[in-house]
Amino acid sequence: MIARFEAVRDAVDAAIEAALADLPDGDLADAMRYACVGGKRIRAFLVLESARLHAVPDARAMPVAVAVELLHAYSLVHDDLPAMDDDDLRRGMPTCHIQWNEATAILAGDALQAQAFEMLADPAIGEAEIRVALLRRFAEAVGARGMVWGQACDIAAETAVVALDLAAVKALQQAKTGALIRFAATAGAVIAAADPAPLEDYARHLGLAFQIADDILDVTGDPAQTGKRTGKDARMGKATFVSLLGLDTARDKAAAIVGKAVDALNAYPGGEPVENLRQLARFIIHRQT
Amino acid sequence: MIARFEAVRDAVDAAIEAALADLPDGDLADAMRYACVGGKRIRAFLVLESARLHAVPDARAMPVAVAVELLHAYSLVHDDLPAMDDDDLRRGMPTCHIQWNEATAILAGDALQAQAFEMLADPAIGEAEIRVALLRRFAEAVGARGMVWGQACDIAAETAVVALDLAAVKALQQAKTGALIRFAATAGAVIAAADPAPLEDYARHLGLAFQIADDILDVTGDPAQTGKRTGKDARMGKATFVSLLGLDTARDKAAAIVGKAVDALNAYPGGEPVENLRQLARFIIHRQT
């Protein structure tokens, strides 16, 4: 899986570079490219492996993989803004508004979102019906019922009088990080016009495990490795899986959820893409970045 | 034309309300709806009349009209942010970040952009091929080669040492406000799978006239009527059509450009939609808001 993961990362990096190649020169284009550097490309990997699982070649899935990564990059740029999470470090580099300024960061995020949607018009993906199906699912994953809604809840929770309970944190995270992960992991089935239900099940567990691991990393992680500030949730008094469950129980829970993600893929006959998706789920809770 | 314009405005207002009806309760949904209140719906009118010109019924064009208005609303919310144009008054009401806060305004803009793209997936518009064609044109009009690029240039110009000349102001405005107007005015042709060239020509002139009129209104307008602060360009020492040409020449130029917009429609046999589009062009330079 490691070899495939690295090959995907390099191919996705190149495809992102190509997608952002022909923009008018200036801070806006520079900031957009900067915001896309250094991602782990987990979401792109989900798109490409769920596609392979349905015998869809990388060439058809790649524009969708790029769309997901551009969208993810936009969300990080806006989340890092002073008015939001106010972070100055991301992927080991100054955040976009530190490197440039707030206006450029807001606009770079806006343009990355538009560019992400534009990728879905690429005829390489397949029939127009498929591209429209992806468009609808993508927009739902992003907008006021998906990622952006999750982020709004997260911001609201910071100033709320009553801290969130476990069910609320789960719902919030299933929107904030889960919605885009679900889109990515089911994209292959949608491109192949196949039933996305088993992948949806896999992705729901994966997204949750991913977020619990993120909360754990915020407590145990080394900024030199994670490339972002740690210990922030505790300083902010934020309700997280770790603050609500304790570190050990959170770890146990993440491991159990990864087991469910792995099992969800039993719906498929097996093969390399299925095994890769299983390994990705296991990797999620052992990663240090 | 006035009766049709008012009927369109009411129908578009209702369609926007319906599009934003089923969002999770909270500040995010409230801010999104707030940001859409009170628009003149000029862009929606362009979509619906260019559609009628091609015998496309309102029901097919309406999701596109709503998309354009949601997108326009998002752009205003982000442009008004303190890090951007720092405006506190819009359409006679406190701007979104004043009414709520910056985080909510950023997120409401983000979600409005996603929702705008989602509208283009609506099967009511027509075949999937047509929806994908609209998606591509829409994304181009918005992103790092369109509206967002224009806004980035506008922000950059504020701190530039050398003021923009007329050609630069024109290029900037053709991106910042022109790109979305061109998308809107050609949408009807795209939905009908017809040649959009004459409408493109009309829209290019219309967009320019619109911006010159905006610059004039910033000098001559009454905040009680425009619903936003005036005199701002001059206070900021911003290069505008008025600062570069003088008020009288700017007025003459706007009138001449409207004439070109009107003439561009000679490519069509005539009829009510063509006449409405001509009247809209004339209205553009006489409006007080």
Side-chain angles (χ1 to χ4, degrees), chain B residues 5-17 48 58 62 66:
Chain B
F5 194 82
E6 285 174 357
V8 161
R9 198 188 54 209
D10 292 348
V12 169
D13 284 349
I16 291 172
E17 208 174 298
L48 291 163
D58 286 359
M62 190 56 88
V66 171

Side-chain angles (χ1 to χ4, degrees), chain A residues 19 22-25 28 32 74 78-79 81 83-84 101-104 106-111 113-115 117-118 120-123 127-129 131-132 135-136 139-140 142-145 148-149 151-152 155, chain B residues 19 22-25 28 32 74 78-79 81 83-84 101-104 106-111 113-115 117-118 120-123 127-129 131-132 135-136 139-140 142-145 148-149 151-152 155:
Chain A
D22 292 326
L23 305 180
D25 287 338
L28 179 66
M32 288 169 74
Y74 125 63
H78 280 193
D79 285 1
L81 285 166
M84 309 268 270
N101 52 58
E102 278 185 57
T104 303
I106 294 166
L107 292 170
D110 290 346
Q113 182 179 168
Q115 183 92 27
F117 276 102
E118 189 174 343
L120 301 181
D122 192 329
E127 287 170 23
E129 281 290 356
R131 287 175 274 159
V132 169
L135 165 62
R136 184 181 298 110
E140 280 174 4
V142 175
R145 296 178 206 87
V148 177
W149 181 72
Q151 175 66 358
I155 298 272
Chain B
D22 292 327
L23 305 181
D25 287 339
L28 179 65
M32 289 169 72
Y74 125 64
H78 280 194
D79 286 1
L81 285 167
M84 310 268 271
N101 52 58
E102 279 185 57
T104 302
I106 294 166
L107 292 169
D110 290 346
Q113 183 180 168
Q115 183 93 28
F117 277 102
E118 189 173 345
L120 302 181
D122 192 329
E127 287 170 22
E129 282 291 355
R131 286 175 274 160
V132 169
L135 165 62
R136 183 181 298 109
E140 281 174 5
V142 175
R145 297 179 207 86
V148 177
W149 181 73
Q151 174 67 358
I155 298 273

